[in-house]
Protein backbone atom coordinates (compact mmCIF):
# COMPACT_ATOMS: atom_id res chain seq x y z
CA UNK A 1 0.00 0.00 0.00
CA UNK A 2 1.30 3.45 -0.87
CA UNK A 3 1.53 6.24 1.67
CA UNK A 4 -1.54 7.86 0.11
CA UNK A 5 -3.72 5.06 -1.31
CA UNK A 6 -6.69 7.37 -1.92
CA UNK A 7 -4.66 9.91 -3.86
CA UNK A 8 -6.56 10.80 -7.02
CA UNK A 9 -9.51 8.59 -6.06
CA UNK A 10 -12.97 10.09 -6.46
CA UNK A 11 -15.60 9.78 -3.75
CA UNK A 12 -19.27 10.58 -4.22
CA UNK A 13 -20.92 11.07 -0.82
CA UNK A 14 -24.50 11.76 0.17
CA UNK A 15 -24.65 14.45 2.83
CA UNK A 16 -21.29 15.39 4.30
CA UNK A 17 -21.87 19.01 5.27
CA UNK A 18 -20.89 18.21 8.84
CA UNK A 19 -20.30 15.44 11.34
CA UNK A 20 -19.24 11.94 10.37
CA UNK A 21 -19.54 12.41 6.63
CA UNK A 22 -17.35 15.49 6.67
CA UNK A 23 -14.78 13.74 8.87
CA UNK A 24 -14.59 10.86 6.38
CA UNK A 25 -14.25 13.30 3.48
CA UNK A 26 -11.48 15.27 5.19
CA UNK A 27 -9.57 12.07 6.05
CA UNK A 28 -9.67 11.01 2.41
CA UNK A 29 -8.69 14.51 1.31
CA UNK A 30 -5.49 14.23 3.31
CA UNK A 31 -4.45 11.62 0.75
CA UNK A 32 -5.34 13.95 -2.11
CA UNK A 33 -8.74 12.42 -2.90
CA UNK A 34 -11.49 14.12 -4.88
CA UNK A 35 -14.77 14.40 -2.98
CA UNK A 36 -18.15 15.26 -4.45
CA UNK A 37 -20.80 16.02 -1.83
CA UNK A 38 -24.50 15.72 -2.66
CA UNK A 39 -26.10 17.62 0.20
CA UNK A 40 -29.10 19.85 0.86
CA UNK A 41 -27.46 22.39 3.13
CA UNK A 42 -26.83 25.33 0.79
CA UNK A 43 -27.27 27.99 3.49
CA UNK A 44 -26.52 27.77 7.22
CA UNK A 45 -29.01 25.92 9.40
CA UNK A 46 -30.13 27.86 12.50
CA UNK A 47 -29.07 25.04 14.85
CA UNK A 48 -26.45 23.11 12.87
CA UNK A 49 -23.05 24.34 11.77
CA UNK A 50 -21.79 23.82 8.24
CA UNK A 51 -22.99 23.85 4.66
CA UNK A 52 -21.94 21.90 1.61
CA UNK A 53 -19.79 24.92 0.70
CA UNK A 54 -17.95 25.17 4.04
CA UNK A 55 -17.41 21.41 3.87
CA UNK A 56 -15.84 21.81 0.43
CA UNK A 57 -13.49 24.45 1.85
CA UNK A 58 -12.36 22.06 4.59
CA UNK A 59 -11.79 19.27 2.06
CA UNK A 60 -9.61 21.53 -0.07
CA UNK A 61 -7.74 22.81 2.98
CA UNK A 62 -6.92 19.19 3.87
CA UNK A 63 -5.34 18.63 0.45
CA UNK A 64 -8.18 17.23 -1.63
CA UNK A 65 -10.37 18.53 -4.40
CA UNK A 66 -14.04 19.21 -3.68
CA UNK A 67 -17.19 19.40 -5.74
CA UNK A 68 -20.13 20.74 -3.70
CA UNK A 69 -23.43 19.66 -5.22
CA UNK A 70 -26.60 21.13 -3.74
CA UNK A 71 -29.29 18.49 -4.05
CA UNK A 72 -31.46 15.92 -2.33
CA UNK A 73 -30.74 12.20 -2.35
CA UNK A 74 -34.52 11.66 -2.49
CA UNK A 75 -34.63 13.31 -5.92
CA UNK A 76 -33.70 11.04 -8.83
CA UNK A 77 -32.78 13.98 -11.06
CA UNK A 78 -30.41 15.31 -8.38
CA UNK A 79 -28.78 11.87 -8.11
CA UNK A 80 -28.33 11.61 -11.88
CA UNK A 81 -26.91 15.12 -12.05
CA UNK A 82 -24.52 14.41 -9.18
CA UNK A 83 -23.18 11.29 -10.85
CA UNK A 84 -22.74 13.02 -14.22
CA UNK A 85 -21.14 16.14 -12.72
CA UNK A 86 -18.76 14.04 -10.64
CA UNK A 87 -17.75 12.05 -13.70
CA UNK A 88 -17.37 15.23 -15.72
CA UNK A 89 -15.25 16.95 -13.09
CA UNK A 90 -13.02 14.06 -12.05
CA UNK A 91 -13.29 11.50 -14.85
CA UNK A 92 -15.08 8.74 -12.95
CA UNK A 93 -16.19 7.49 -9.55
CA UNK A 94 -14.17 5.13 -7.37
CA UNK A 95 -16.14 5.21 -4.12
CA UNK A 96 -19.71 5.87 -3.01
CA UNK A 97 -20.31 6.71 0.65
CA UNK A 98 -23.94 6.50 1.73
CA UNK A 99 -23.77 8.91 4.64
CA UNK A 100 -27.06 10.84 4.44
CA UNK A 101 -29.48 9.61 7.06
CA UNK A 102 -32.50 10.72 9.09
CA UNK A 103 -32.95 9.71 12.73
CA UNK A 104 -36.13 9.64 14.81
CA UNK A 105 -36.24 7.27 17.76
CA UNK A 106 -39.97 7.72 18.41
CA UNK A 107 -42.01 4.65 19.26
CA UNK A 108 -44.38 3.31 16.64
CA UNK A 109 -47.45 5.07 18.08
CA UNK A 110 -45.66 8.42 18.25
CA UNK A 111 -43.77 8.36 14.95
CA UNK A 112 -45.47 10.55 12.35
CA UNK A 113 -46.19 9.09 8.93
CA UNK A 114 -44.24 11.97 7.40
CA UNK A 115 -41.11 11.18 9.40
CA UNK A 116 -41.46 7.45 8.70
CA UNK A 117 -41.56 8.20 4.98
CA UNK A 118 -38.62 10.58 5.26
CA UNK A 119 -36.45 7.95 6.96
CA UNK A 120 -37.36 5.36 4.35
CA UNK A 121 -36.77 7.77 1.47
CA UNK A 122 -33.40 9.09 2.63
CA UNK A 123 -31.94 6.07 4.38
CA UNK A 124 -33.13 3.15 2.27
CA UNK A 125 -34.17 4.51 -1.10
CA UNK A 126 -31.37 7.09 -1.17
CA UNK A 127 -28.74 4.44 -0.46
CA UNK A 128 -30.09 2.15 -3.16
CA UNK A 129 -30.56 4.82 -5.82
CA UNK A 130 -27.24 6.61 -5.35
CA UNK A 131 -25.33 3.33 -5.34
CA UNK A 132 -27.20 2.10 -8.41
CA UNK A 133 -26.64 5.33 -10.33
CA UNK A 134 -22.88 5.18 -9.73
CA UNK A 135 -22.46 1.47 -10.47
CA UNK A 136 -21.63 1.80 -14.18
CA UNK A 137 -18.67 4.00 -13.22
CA UNK A 138 -17.73 1.92 -10.21
CA UNK A 139 -17.50 -1.16 -12.40
CA UNK A 140 -14.85 0.66 -14.47
CA UNK A 141 -12.81 1.77 -11.44
CA UNK A 142 -9.61 0.09 -10.28
CA UNK A 143 -10.67 -0.60 -6.67
CA UNK A 144 -14.33 0.37 -6.32
CA UNK A 145 -16.12 0.56 -2.98
CA UNK A 146 -19.61 1.27 -1.71
CA UNK A 147 -19.65 2.11 2.00
CA UNK A 148 -22.90 2.66 3.89
CA UNK A 149 -22.99 4.04 7.41
CA UNK A 150 -25.46 1.55 8.81
CA UNK A 151 -25.57 -1.20 11.45
CA UNK A 152 -25.37 -4.98 11.50
CA UNK A 153 -28.73 -6.71 11.10
CA UNK A 154 -29.37 -7.14 14.80
CA UNK A 155 -33.13 -7.73 14.96
CA UNK A 156 -33.29 -8.57 18.64
CA UNK A 157 -36.40 -7.30 20.44
CA UNK A 158 -34.25 -4.94 22.49
CA UNK A 159 -33.23 -2.87 19.49
CA UNK A 160 -35.81 -3.51 16.82
CA UNK A 161 -38.59 -2.93 19.32
CA UNK A 162 -37.04 0.17 20.85
CA UNK A 163 -37.59 2.32 17.75
CA UNK A 164 -39.10 0.14 15.04
CA UNK A 165 -39.41 2.85 12.38
CA UNK A 166 -35.81 4.00 12.64
CA UNK A 167 -34.45 0.48 12.96
CA UNK A 168 -36.25 -0.58 9.80
CA UNK A 169 -34.77 2.35 7.90
CA UNK A 170 -31.20 1.71 9.05
CA UNK A 171 -31.48 -2.05 8.50
CA UNK A 172 -32.79 -1.23 5.02
CA UNK A 173 -29.58 0.63 4.27
CA UNK A 174 -27.62 -2.43 5.31
CA UNK A 175 -29.76 -4.81 3.27
CA UNK A 176 -29.41 -2.64 0.16
CA UNK A 177 -25.64 -2.63 0.61
CA UNK A 178 -25.33 -6.37 1.23
CA UNK A 179 -27.50 -6.95 -1.80
CA UNK A 180 -25.15 -4.85 -3.94
CA UNK A 181 -22.20 -6.83 -2.57
CA UNK A 182 -23.79 -10.10 -3.64
CA UNK A 183 -25.04 -8.81 -6.98
CA UNK A 184 -21.87 -7.04 -8.12
CA UNK A 185 -19.13 -9.03 -6.42
CA UNK A 186 -18.16 -10.68 -9.69
CA UNK A 187 -17.67 -7.19 -11.15
CA UNK A 188 -15.15 -6.40 -8.42
CA UNK A 189 -17.30 -3.81 -6.64
CA UNK A 190 -17.02 -4.02 -2.86
CA UNK A 191 -20.00 -3.05 -0.72
CA UNK A 192 -19.73 -2.92 3.07
CA UNK A 193 -21.42 -1.25 6.02
CA UNK A 194 -19.73 0.43 8.97
CA UNK A 195 -21.16 1.25 12.40
CA UNK A 196 -19.65 2.39 15.71
CA UNK A 197 -19.72 0.62 19.05
CA UNK A 198 -20.59 3.89 20.79
CA UNK A 199 -22.53 6.99 19.90
CA UNK A 200 -20.56 9.62 17.97
CA UNK A 201 -20.38 13.24 19.08
CA UNK A 202 -22.32 14.97 16.30
CA UNK A 203 -25.08 17.55 16.17
CA UNK A 204 -27.57 14.78 15.38
CA UNK A 205 -26.67 12.97 18.59
CA UNK A 206 -26.86 16.18 20.60
CA UNK A 207 -30.28 17.15 19.30
CA UNK A 208 -31.89 13.73 18.81
CA UNK A 209 -30.42 11.47 21.47
CA UNK A 210 -29.95 13.34 24.69
CA UNK A 211 -28.06 16.61 24.54
CA UNK A 212 -24.85 17.34 26.41
CA UNK A 213 -25.09 14.22 28.58
CA UNK A 214 -24.90 12.02 25.50
CA UNK A 215 -22.13 14.05 23.96
CA UNK A 216 -19.97 13.48 27.05
CA UNK A 217 -20.11 9.69 26.66
CA UNK A 218 -19.57 9.63 22.89
CA UNK A 219 -16.52 9.34 20.67
CA UNK A 220 -15.42 11.87 18.06
CA UNK A 221 -16.28 11.57 14.35
CA UNK A 222 -12.59 10.97 13.65
CA UNK A 223 -12.83 7.40 14.93
CA UNK A 224 -15.45 6.70 12.27
CA UNK A 225 -13.35 8.47 9.64
CA UNK A 226 -10.21 6.51 10.45
CA UNK A 227 -12.10 3.21 10.25
CA UNK A 228 -13.79 4.20 6.98
CA UNK A 229 -10.38 5.04 5.55
CA UNK A 230 -9.11 1.56 6.42
CA UNK A 231 -12.11 -0.04 4.69
CA UNK A 232 -11.84 2.08 1.55
CA UNK A 233 -8.17 1.16 1.15
CA UNK A 234 -8.88 -2.60 1.19
CA UNK A 235 -8.76 -4.70 -2.01
CA UNK A 236 -12.35 -4.55 -3.25
CA UNK A 237 -12.49 -8.12 -4.58
CA UNK A 238 -11.34 -9.53 -1.24
CA UNK A 239 -13.20 -7.33 1.23
CA UNK A 240 -16.92 -7.13 0.55
CA UNK A 241 -20.28 -8.09 2.01
CA UNK A 242 -19.25 -7.21 5.57
CA UNK A 243 -21.21 -5.48 8.32
CA UNK A 244 -18.28 -3.91 10.09
CA UNK A 245 -17.84 -2.28 13.49
CA UNK A 246 -15.60 0.79 13.68
CA UNK A 247 -13.60 -0.36 16.67
CA UNK A 248 -13.07 -3.86 15.23
CA UNK A 249 -11.71 -2.39 11.99
CA UNK A 250 -9.27 -0.19 13.87
CA UNK A 251 -8.22 -3.01 16.19
CA UNK A 252 -7.44 -5.14 13.16
CA UNK A 253 -5.40 -2.23 11.80
CA UNK A 254 -3.31 -2.19 14.97
CA UNK A 255 -5.02 0.51 17.04
CA UNK A 256 -5.02 -0.53 20.70
CA UNK A 257 -5.87 2.73 22.46
CA UNK A 258 -9.15 4.52 21.71
CA UNK A 259 -8.83 7.08 24.51
CA UNK A 260 -7.82 9.79 22.06
CA UNK A 261 -11.21 9.52 20.39
CA UNK A 262 -13.22 10.33 23.51
CA UNK A 263 -15.39 13.39 22.89
CA UNK A 264 -14.73 14.34 26.50
CA UNK A 265 -11.02 13.74 27.16
CA UNK A 266 -10.38 11.39 30.05
CA UNK A 267 -13.65 9.48 29.74
CA UNK A 268 -12.86 5.79 30.36
CA UNK A 269 -14.15 3.25 27.87
CA UNK A 270 -16.52 1.68 30.38
CA UNK A 271 -18.37 5.00 30.62
CA UNK A 272 -19.00 5.24 26.89
CA UNK A 273 -22.60 4.74 25.90
CA UNK A 274 -23.24 1.48 24.01
CA UNK A 275 -24.45 1.79 20.46
CA UNK A 276 -28.15 1.38 19.77
CA UNK A 277 -27.73 -1.67 17.56
CA UNK A 278 -25.01 -3.79 19.15
Amino acid sequence: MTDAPLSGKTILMSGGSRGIGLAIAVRAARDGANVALLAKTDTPHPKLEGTVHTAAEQIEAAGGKALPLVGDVRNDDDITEAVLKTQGEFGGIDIVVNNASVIDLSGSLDLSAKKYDLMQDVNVRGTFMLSRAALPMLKEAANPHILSLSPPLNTTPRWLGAHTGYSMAKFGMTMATLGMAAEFGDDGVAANTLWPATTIATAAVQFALGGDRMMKVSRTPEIYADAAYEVLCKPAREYTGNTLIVEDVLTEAGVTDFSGYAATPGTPDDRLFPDIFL
Side-chain angles (χ1 to χ4, degrees), residues 34 61 85 133 197 201 208 211 257:
N34 311 313
K85 283 187 173 180
D257 182 4

Side-chain angles (χ1 to χ4, degrees), residues 111-131:
L111 181 65
S112 70
K114 182 177 181 181
K115 185 58 75 71
Y116 175 90
D117 289 343
L118 180 63
M119 289 194 290
Q120 287 288 325
D121 285 348
V122 173
N123 300 8
V124 188
R125 189 181 190 278
T127 294
F128 179 84
M129 291 297 180
L130 185 64
S131 301

Side-chain angles (χ1 to χ4, degrees), residues 12-13 28 30 53 65 71 89 100 120 138 146 155 162 178 189 194 196 243 256 260 268 275 278:
L12 174 58
M13 177 184 293
R30 282 161 47 194
H53 306 293
K65 294 181 180 178
E89 181 75 14
Q120 287 288 325
L138 290 173
I146 296 169
T155 56
L178 294 178
V189 179
L194 184 63
T243 55
T256 58
D275 176 76
L278 296 181

Side-chain angles (χ1 to χ4, degrees), residues 162-185:
H163 28 66
T164 302
Y166 176 65
S167 297
M168 288 171 63
K170 294 304 290 190
F171 291 153
M173 289 179 71
T174 298
M175 292 178 71
T177 306
L178 294 178
M180 296 282 181
E183 189 172 358
F184 299 100

Side-chain angles (χ1 to χ4, degrees), residues 130-249:
L130 185 64
S131 301
R132 185 176 77 165
L135 268 163
M137 270 152 276
L138 290 173
K139 289 166 71 172
E140 299 298 320
N143 193 45
H145 281 266
I146 296 169
L147 182 65
S148 299
L149 309 190
S150 59
L153 297 177
N154 184 350
T155 56
T156 59
R158 179 185 179 192
W159 299 130
L160 185 57
H163 28 66
T164 302
Y166 176 65
S167 297
M168 288 171 63
K170 294 304 290 190
F171 291 153
M173 289 179 71
T174 298
M175 292 178 71
T177 306
L178 294 178
M180 296 282 181
E183 189 172 358
F184 299 100
D186 288 345
D187 296 303
V189 179
N192 297 288
T193 69
L194 184 63
W195 197 247
T198 74
T199 51
I200 301 296
T202 65
V205 167
Q206 186 167 23
F207 288 109
L209 291 185
D212 292 337
R213 179 188 68 84
M214 199 59 118
M215 295 291 273
K216 289 178 181 177
V217 292
S218 298
R219 287 181 169 139
T220 64
E222 283 67 33
I223 192 171
Y224 219 139
D226 288 347
Y229 179 84
E230 293 292 332
V231 175
L232 297 176
C233 292
K234 297 284 190 183
R237 287 190 177 274
E238 301 171 15
Y239 200 80
T240 186
N242 302 298
T243 55
L244 302 163
I245 300 302
V246 164
E247 286 78 359
D248 292 346
V249 170

